[in-house]
Structure formats: structure tokens, C-alpha cells
């Protein structure tokens, strides 16, 4: 593991990767995120209208009860232009995200359900797509459900074939978060907190996590993550929203145009565990340094895209570009910026039409795509990767921004 200093904020550091000094990959080593869930039906009934002041407080409504009988709240954030994000206290799930198209019409662009029961159904639990949820304590995969830290071996649930995925059987996507709505100079906010106990899902240390969602008045959903621990522990937080910029009009995202700001990706084995190689994307179907549609070369990638790209992080210590997406049908654009060193680009390969979401929409293969900003998969077992170990006395901080817009068809990404 790359050692870390016991500062309050993790410094921007350099990490020796594949024989070259790569600055910035360690930047977000102690920065992680969590996700709330939201629904389109509730946003329509409880959200303020676009004519209301952008400084007013987010609104709330019931999202139903969990199988254990706990009441779940749904919060709707609205900005000065009428954009809306709805977020659930169950799993921190972004259940709905309404942004305008080229005609100025608001439309929901994320996959999800109208009630919390949809996220707890047997079909959903079996499929495990993690729609819109905050992911932790460790996003992505850990090989064999096991890692060693400070001389001790820790065993985790194997909930993805032979490997551990997205925090285990009861990850952060399935817990109730404490919520505090508010406002800031940027727009309406929702502050979510959760304390993961020592030993929860096999992880060491009591981890206190805070996630702040801000729907900014310049049309972005910003997610700020922070965490502290009383014992050394791996942490890798992210949001697992599935986007379809033509949701309701197009059944898949194969015509979406994508650019990824990454010259390399992490090569994986047949169970999607990194081999340790950071391979150049040039000359491969993983090269999105220039714009390509999702469907253009996906058949050349067995199973579809579900890989981590190594971002070309800057040296300034702030957010750097991760991805740009354009949907010609709606005219909508999505730009992603992050302090994290990687992004998992996933194209909904395991969706098969068995899940029926908002408005009776069936989610088939490639119905949405994910851009999960993160540290690399299996980092606890990969000493050459940027470290994900958070130490007592340190504060993990990470920020990811999803910015929305529209553009003319002839304008370049």
C-alpha cells in the first residue's frame, strides 16, 4: 500500500504506477461518497415549482416504508431554473433527476422506482443493479472477499461470484441515512450522515460518513463526501446512478456519444478483478479520448463496458474532467468532474427487462449507463494502486459534480 500521512486532509500525492510517476492518482484516496434515492412520482407531487425562490428549502414527502417498517423520506431539491433532484433516506438513492432537453422540456434521466418497495423487491435484490444508490464501505470489487491490513486478514461477503462487491450484503445502499435539508450559496442541499459500526460487513473501524448533495443554480448535481474512522480501514465511496439522457423515448443508450478523459484503463480478469496492468487505451475499443457512441464498438468488449478508466488528473488538487456525454435525440449533455483518480464506465450489461421502473418502464440491456467516480477496484490487494486506506486522525474528502446542459447537434464535445 502507498503510505499515508496522518493529516486532517489527504494531500495530493504522487504514486509510482507501472514504472512511471503519476501525480494526482492518490488525491481522493481518503475521499468517498454515498447516494440517496429518489422518485419521479413523488417529485411531481412534492417538489416546488420553478417559479419558487432557489433559496427556499428542499421539500420532503413519504417514500413508503421499508420491509422492517421504517418510514422513508424523499427529499426534492429544486434550482433556480426548475431542475429537480429527488433523494431518498433509504440508501441515499437519487430516484429522479429532471433536467431540460433542447426544447426546454424537463425530463427524468435516471433509472429508478416510484416507491421504496421497488428497491426491496425480490427481483431487484436478485438483479442487484444499485440504481442511484450511495455505495460503501467499498465501491466496486475486492478479490476473493478478503484483504490484509496492518498484519491482519479481513474476510468479507462474496456477493459477486467469488468476489466482494459494493460493500457486501448490507452495504450503504440499503441503510437509512439521517437527513438534514438546507441551502448554500450554490443552491439547495441535502446533508446525509451514517455511522458504520466496527465489524459491519467485515470491515474494521467505526466509520462516520457525511454526504452532501447540492443542486446548484448553474445546473449541476454536486456530491461532497467526507469520512473519519477510529481504526485503519479501506474506503471507496461512489454514486451508482444509471443515466439515460433520452429516458422515456429511447430504450437504450447505445447512441449516446461519450468522451472519457483517460489514456489508460485497468485490465481485468474474467471475474472483473484488475490484473494490475494499466494499459493504454489507444488502438482499443476502450479509447474514448475522442468521441464515440456507446454502441459503436461495444460488441468488441466481452460482456460490454464495465471497467475502470485511469483519469488524466491535473496537478492543481481540485476537480478534473472525467467524462462528457451527448445525446443527439434530446440534445442533453452531461459533464462529469471529480477529485477521484478513476471512473467506472458501466453500460447496464446485466439488465434484462425483468425490472419495471418508474411509469411502467421496463429496463432492458443497456437501458442506462453509469459513471462511478472512484478509486480503482481491488485497491486493498493492489499495492501499486493509489491507496484507499483511511487512518484515524485523517479526514477523507472527495467531490464529484454532474453538470447538465444542451447543445446544438454540430457542436463538438
Amino acid at each position: 500500500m502507498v503510505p499515508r500521512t496522518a493529516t486532517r486532509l489527504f494531500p495530493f500525492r504522487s504514486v509510482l504506477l507501472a514504472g512511471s510517476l503519476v501525480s494526482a492518482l492518490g488525491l481522493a484516496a481518503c475521499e468517498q461518497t454515498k447516494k440517496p434515492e429518489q422518485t419521479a412520482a413523488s417529485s411531481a407531487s412534492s417538489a416546488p415549482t420553478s417559479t419558487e425562490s432557489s433559496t427556499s428549502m428542499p421539500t420532503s414527502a413519504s417514500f413508503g416504508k421499508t420491509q422492517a417498517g421504517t418510514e422513508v423520506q424523499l427529499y426534492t431539491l429544486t434550482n433556480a431554473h426548475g431542475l429537480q433532484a429527488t433523494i431518498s433516506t433509504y440508501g441515499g438513492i437519487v430516484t429522479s433527476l429532471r433536467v431540460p432537453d433542447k426544447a426546454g422540456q424537463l425530463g427524468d434521466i435516471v433509472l429508478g422506482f416510484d416507491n421504496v418497495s421497488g428497491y426491496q423487491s425480490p427481483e431487484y435484490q436478485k438483479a442487484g443493479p444499485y440504481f442511484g444508490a450511495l455505495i460503501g464501505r467499498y465501491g466496486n470489487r475486492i478479490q476473493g472477499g478478503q484483504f490484509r491490513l496492518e498484519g491482519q486478514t479481513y474476510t468479507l461477503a462474496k456477493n459477486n461470484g467469488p468476489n466482494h462487491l459494493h460493500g457486501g450484503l448490507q452495504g450503504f445502499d440499503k441503510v437509512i441515512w439521517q437527513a438534514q435539508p438546507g441551502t448554500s450559496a450554490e443552491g439547495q442541499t441535502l446533508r446525509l450522515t451514517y455511522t458504520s459500526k466496527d465489524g459491519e460487513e467485515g470491515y474494521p473501524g467505526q466509520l462516520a460518513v457525511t454526504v452532501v448533495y447540492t443542486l446548484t443554480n448553474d445546473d449541476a448535481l454536486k456530491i461532497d463526501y467526507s469520512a473519519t474512522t477510529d481504526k485503519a480501514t479501506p474506503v471507496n465511496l461512489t454514486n451508482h446512478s444509471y443515466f439515460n439522457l433520452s429516458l422515456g423515448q429511447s430504450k437504450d443508450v447505445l447512441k449516446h456519444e461519450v468522451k472519457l478523459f483517460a489514456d489508460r484503463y485497468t485490465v481485468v480478469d474474467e471475474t472483473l478483478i484488475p490484473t494490475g496492468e494499466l494499459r493504454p487505451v489507444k488502438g482499443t475499443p476502450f479509447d474514448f479520448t475522442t468521441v464515440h457512441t456507446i454502441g459503436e464498438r461495444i460488441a468488441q468488449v466481452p460482456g460490454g463496458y464495465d471497467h475502470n478508466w485511469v483519469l488524466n488528473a491535473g496537478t492543481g488538487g481540485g476537480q478534473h474532467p472525467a467524462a462528457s456525454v451527448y445525446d443527439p435525440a434530446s440534445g442533453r449533455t452531461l459533464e462529469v468532474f471529480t477529485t477521484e483518480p478513476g471512473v467506472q464506465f458501466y453500460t447496464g450489461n446485466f439488465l434484462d427487462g425483468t425490472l419495471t421502473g418508474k411509469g411502467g418502464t421496463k429496463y432492458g440491456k443497456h437501458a442506462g449507463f453509469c459513471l462511478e467516480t472512484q478509486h480503482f477496484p481491488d485497491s486493498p490487494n493492489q499495492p501499486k494502486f493509489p491507496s484507499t486506506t483511511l487512518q484515524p486522525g485523517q479526514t477523507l474528502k472527495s467531490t464529484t459534480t454532474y453538470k447538465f446542459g444542451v447543445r446544438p447537434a454540430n457542436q463538438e464535445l
Side-chain angles (χ1 to χ4, degrees), residues 164-184:
H164 177 81
L165 177 66
H166 291 336
L169 302 176
Q170 187 76 13
F172 292 173
D173 61 297
K174 299 179 181 69
V175 303
I176 301 294
W177 293 72
Q178 298 302 307
Q180 182 180 352
T183 62
S184 72

Side-chain angles (χ1 to χ4, degrees), residues 41-368:
S42 296
S43 72
S45 62
S46 65
T49 66
S50 60
T51 59
E52 291 182 330
S53 170
S54 63
T55 59
S56 62
M57 295 287 286
T59 60
S60 65
S62 174
F63 197 41
K65 292 184 177 181
T66 66
Q67 293 173 349
T70 303
E71 184 76 22
V72 177
Q73 289 297 306
L74 188 73
Y75 288 86
T76 299
L77 283 60
T78 304
N79 82 350
H81 302 137
L83 280 70
Q84 295 180 332
T86 54
I87 300 164
S88 165
T89 55
Y90 175 81
I93 298 171
V94 177
T95 63
S96 173
L97 190 54
R98 294 172 55 79
V99 303
D101 63 10
K102 59 188 176 184
Q105 297 298 309
L106 289 176
D108 188 3
I109 62 167
V110 294
L111 277 57
F113 300 98
D114 293 322
N115 189 282
V116 69
S117 60
Y119 298 91
Q120 295 191 306
S121 71
E123 296 81 9
Y124 183 81
Q125 295 300 319
K126 181 179 179 181
Y130 300 90
F131 288 159
L134 290 177
I135 302 298
R137 179 174 303 192
Y138 196 93
N140 221 305
R141 295 169 176 85
I142 295 178
Q143 185 176 26
Q146 196 171 84
F147 65 90
R148 284 185 63 80
L149 181 60
E150 298 186 343
Q152 185 171 342
T153 298
Y154 294 91
T155 300
L156 314 171
K158 297 178 182 179
N159 61 325
N160 185 243
N163 303 314
H164 177 81
L165 177 66
H166 291 336
L169 302 176
Q170 187 76 13
F172 292 173
D173 61 297
K174 299 179 181 69
V175 303
I176 301 294
W177 293 72
Q178 298 302 307
Q180 182 180 352
T183 62
S184 72
E186 295 179 286
Q188 294 185 357
T189 64
L190 184 66
R191 182 178 187 267
L192 298 175
T193 56
Y194 176 70
T195 298
S196 175
K197 295 180 180 179
D198 184 16
E200 184 174 296
E201 288 295 319
Y203 289 94
Q206 179 166 290
L207 186 74
V209 183
T210 298
V211 178
V212 179
Y213 286 93
T214 303
L215 186 62
T216 71
N217 288 319
D218 64 351
D219 299 346
L221 182 64
K222 186 178 74 167
I223 311 174
D224 289 299
Y225 310 94
S226 63
T228 58
T229 184
D230 62 3
K231 189 184 297 184
T233 187
V235 189
N236 191 28
L237 306 174
T238 191
N239 180 278
H240 210 299
S241 288
Y242 287 67
F243 298 97
N244 182 333
L245 302 183
S246 286
L247 190 60
Q249 301 173 1
S250 176
K251 293 182 179 180
D252 62 53
V253 295
L254 297 179
K255 293 183 179 179
H256 283 48
E257 299 176 4
V258 175
K259 182 177 182 179
L260 299 177
F261 295 83
D263 294 331
R264 296 174 298 164
Y265 72 102
T266 51
V267 180
V268 295
D269 65 17
E270 64 278 1
T271 67
L272 299 179
I273 292 294
T275 64
E277 178 187 358
L278 305 183
R279 182 177 297 173
V281 299
K282 187 176 181 179
T284 77
F286 296 92
D287 188 353
F288 285 90
T289 56
T290 57
V291 176
H292 293 273
T293 65
I294 292 176
E296 183 179 341
R297 300 163 301 171
I298 196 169
Q300 300 175 41
V301 181
Y305 295 109
D306 190 6
H307 299 72
N308 173 72
W309 270 255
V310 180
L311 295 174
N312 302 330
T315 58
Q319 295 188 73
H320 43 264
S324 295
V325 185
Y326 169 62
D327 170 41
S330 67
R332 292 187 179 100
T333 61
L334 168 61
E335 296 176 277
V336 184
F337 304 88
T338 188
T339 56
E340 291 291 307
V343 63
Q344 187 85 4
F345 177 45
Y346 171 58
T347 50
N349 313 316
F350 299 110
L351 299 175
D352 60 5
T354 59
L355 297 177
T356 301
K358 293 172 289 187
T361 302
K362 287 189 177 296
Y363 297 137
K365 192 172 186 179
H366 309 312

